[in-house]
Amino acid sequence: MPRRTMIEAIRDAMDVSMARDERVIVYGEDVGFFGGVFRCTQGLQAKYGKNRCFDAPISESGIVGSAIGMAAYGLRPCVEVQFADYVYPAYDQIVSEAARLRYRSNNDFTCPIVVRMPTGGGIFGGQTHSQSPEALFTHVSGLKTVVPSNPHDAKGLLIAAIEDPDPVIFLEPKRLYNGPFDGHHDNPVTPWSKHELGEVADGHYTIPLGKAAIRRQGSAVTVLAYGTMVYVAQAAAAE
């Protein structure tokens, strides 16, 4: 299987989904021509056109609000908030509209949107580029929150999120975008293990949302972790 970084795996997931379903559209700040601040959407506008991958104004509330309307009328928007730190203006749209649309319409409408966001620290981003707001979403009924820890999972989970009939918050750990680390310092782990390294299958596959993966069998204690902290937990277990 080809090896991909998490950035490449996420881009591939959107590419696969857009090719399979013309209802899937991708947009956000600098997402179209520029390909995203981390290049996760690079090349998608050239391949699918400006009607399906395009730039949005600097308005997180507008990005998410318009996606909810599009989803209610049959599209499947996968939108990007440039950093998780910027999601707060859109929080009301997410929790008051997207999360409740199925229930409040008595199942007449659903909200199949994905809100992608780079999240977490580890890249010296400072106070407005390092936040981890997942707790704000995991406590909201009607939302699914996803945080992958490796490229293989990132692709399968993102495709599953795009195909899900309800809203999914998809948080991408910036520290893992280009490779994992050893849990102690900034040195990357070389080589990665099979999935951590980024052996990512071509084409379509999904990983079920809400199901944990066992990274290491043990008998004394259960450690639950996600995203970057998977590697910190593995380092602690190794010691």
Side-chain angles (χ1 to χ4, degrees), residues 83 85 119-132 174:
F83 286 88
D85 313 58
T119 188
I123 63 165
F124 305 100
Q127 65 172 353
T128 59
H129 298 81
S130 302
Q131 296 176 44
S132 300
K174 297 187 294 290

Side-chain angles (χ1 to χ4, degrees), residues 10 13-15 17-18 21 24-26 76-78 112-114 116 157-166 168 170 209:
I10 288 166
M14 288 184 280
D15 188 4
S17 298
M18 294 176 81
D21 189 344
V24 177
I25 58 173
V26 172
R76 288 184 170 269
C78 179
I113 70 170
V114 177
R116 294 182 40 252
L157 290 168
L158 182 53
I159 294 175
I162 292 171
E163 294 177 353
D164 196 274
D166 294 300
V168 179
F170 197 89
L209 303 183

Side-chain angles (χ1 to χ4, degrees), residues 73-194:
Y73 281 90
L75 296 178
R76 288 184 170 269
C78 179
V79 299
E80 178 181 305
V81 171
Q82 198 168 77
F83 286 88
D85 313 58
Y86 303 160
V87 75
Y88 304 112
Y91 188 72
D92 181 52
Q93 292 282 358
I94 293 170
V95 303
S96 299
E97 305 298 336
R100 290 163 168 74
L101 187 58
R102 179 188 286 276
Y103 182 85
R104 74 191 300 180
S105 70
N106 196 29
N107 230 26
D108 286 341
F109 292 93
T110 60
C111 191
I113 70 170
V114 177
V115 182
R116 294 182 40 252
M117 294 182 273
T119 188
I123 63 165
F124 305 100
Q127 65 172 353
T128 59
H129 298 81
S130 302
Q131 296 176 44
S132 300
E134 60 269 22
L136 298 177
F137 301 106
T138 57
H139 292 273
V140 177
S141 298
L143 294 180
K144 298 181 180 74
T145 305
V146 179
V147 190
S149 65
N150 60 76
H152 172 269
D153 289 358
K155 178 180 175 179
L157 290 168
L158 182 53
I159 294 175
I162 292 171
E163 294 177 353
D164 196 274
D166 294 300
V168 179
I169 306 301
F170 197 89
L171 295 164
E172 303 161 4
K174 297 187 294 290
R175 182 63 185 83
L176 303 181
Y177 262 158
N178 290 297
F181 71 116
D182 63 9
H184 295 288
H185 15 83
D186 290 330
N187 297 326
V189 174
T190 307
W192 292 14
S193 67
K194 181 178 180 181

